[in-house]
Amino acid sequence: MILEPMAAAIGAGLPVTEPIGSMVVDVGGGTAEIAVLSLRGLAYTASVRVGGDKMDDAIVSYVRRNHNLLIGDITAERIKKEAGIARCPTEGHGITLSIKGRDLVNGVPAEITINQMQIAEALSEPVGAVIEGIRIALENTAPELAADIVDQGIVLTGGGALLSGLDDAICEATGLPVVVADDPLTCVARGTVFALENEQFRIFAH
Ligand SMILES: Nc1ncnc2c1ncn2[C@@H]1O[C@H](COP(=O)(O)OP(=O)(O)OP(=O)(O)O)[C@@H](O)[C@H]1O
Ligand SMILES: [Mg+2]
C-alpha cells in the first residue's frame, strides 16, 4: 500500500527522495487531494470533496437553470471533456457546442448551444473550491517548504488536471508556476508500481 498523494507525486516525477518541498494536486472524480511533500514524507495532506463529478453536476445545473434543458451526467462529462475550461476564454466566447436534452417547459427533446464563456461560468464554483483548497494548503505550509514550492511550482495530476486552463487559473490565483504532469490520468497507478519496484521508494509503502 502506498498513499495516493505520494503515488501521484512519484508518478508525476517529483523529487520525493530529495530534501526538496513540492506540492501535488490530484484532481480525481470525487475528490481533489492536495499534498505538500518534504524529506521523504507528506508534510500536509487535505482532501477537498470536489472533482470531475462536481464539475459535471455544475454543467447539468447551469444548463437547467439558464436554458431550461435537462441533460444527463454523461452529456455533461462530454461537454466538459470537449469544451470545459477553467476560466473565461482569452478571445471572444471560445468554442460553441450544441447539446441535446429534454426541454423542461414542454417535456420534449430540444437542442441548445452553449459557448466556453458559459461553460467557464458553470465551472467557476468547483474550480474555485480546488483553488481554495490549494490556498489553505499554502497557508499551512512551513516557510522553508513554501520557498521550495515557489521554485518548483505545483504539479497537477488526475483526470481533472486535463480541464483546459486549470493550470492557468491556479497560477493566476496563487502566483506560483503550475504544470500538468505527463499523462495525468495514470500518475497514481504508475507511481504505485514504481514505488513497489524500486528499493529506494519502498519506504513510502506500508
Ligand atoms: N479532458 C478532460 N477534461 C476534464 N476532465 C477530465 C478529462 N478527462 C478526464 N476527466 C475527468 O477526470 C475524472 C477522473 O479522473 P481520475 O481517473 O484521476 O479519478 P479517480 O482516481 O477515478 O477518482 P478519485 O481520485 O476521486 O477516486 C473524471 O471526472 C473525468 O471526467
Ligand atoms: Mg484518483
Side-chain angles (χ1 to χ4, degrees):
M1 253 292 287
I2 175 162
L3 291 172
E4 268 194 38
M6 186 55 85
I10 294 169
L14 286 173
V16 294
T17 57
E18 286 164 45
I20 299 173
S22 56
M23 178 179 277
V24 60
V25 179
D26 183 82
V27 184
T31 60
E33 307 288 334
I34 300 162
V36 175
L37 298 96
S38 82
L39 293 172
R40 304 180 164 222
L42 294 163
Y44 174 94
T45 57
S47 181
V48 183
R49 298 181 75 81
V50 66
D53 298 344
K54 283 265 171 70
M55 293 178 194
D56 301 345
D57 294 347
I59 292 173
V60 171
S61 306
Y62 181 92
V63 171
R64 184 170 44 209
R65 231 180 315 119
N66 295 279
H67 298 273
N68 277 319
L69 189 78
L70 189 63
I71 59 168
D73 294 345
I74 293 171
T75 303
E77 186 181 31
R78 181 180 60 79
I79 295 167
K80 177 185 69 179
K81 288 184 180 175
E82 279 179 24
I85 187 158
R87 53 181 208 167
C88 287
T90 43
E91 278 176 28
H93 290 172
I95 305 169
T96 297
L97 282 187
S98 68
I99 50 181
K100 298 188 185 78
R102 180 154 53 82
D103 188 302
L104 282 166
V105 178
N106 53 27
V108 298
E111 187 167 9
I112 59 131
T113 59
I114 187 169
N115 63 45
Q116 282 184 307
M117 188 92 114
Q118 296 168 314
I119 299 171
E121 190 187 328
L123 295 177
S124 65
E125 199 174 309
V127 167
V130 173
I131 289 172
E132 187 54 23
I134 293 172
R135 231 194 265 283
I136 293 168
L138 291 168
E139 277 169 20
N140 285 284
T141 300
E144 297 77 24
L145 292 178
D148 283 350
I149 294 167
V150 170
D151 295 337
Q152 300 269 320
I154 299 171
V155 177
L156 303 182
T157 67
L162 292 167
L163 179 72
S164 172
L166 185 62
D167 48 355
D168 294 339
I170 295 170
C171 173
E172 196 175 87
T174 61
L176 297 170
V178 182
V179 295
V180 177
D182 286 341
D183 199 359
L185 271 164
T186 63
C187 281
V188 170
R190 284 186 288 111
T192 302
V193 170
F194 195 81
L196 297 175
E197 285 178 350
N198 289 272
E199 191 78 42
Q200 78 270 35
F201 287 88
R202 224 166 272 160
I203 50 161
F204 301 123
H206 46 152

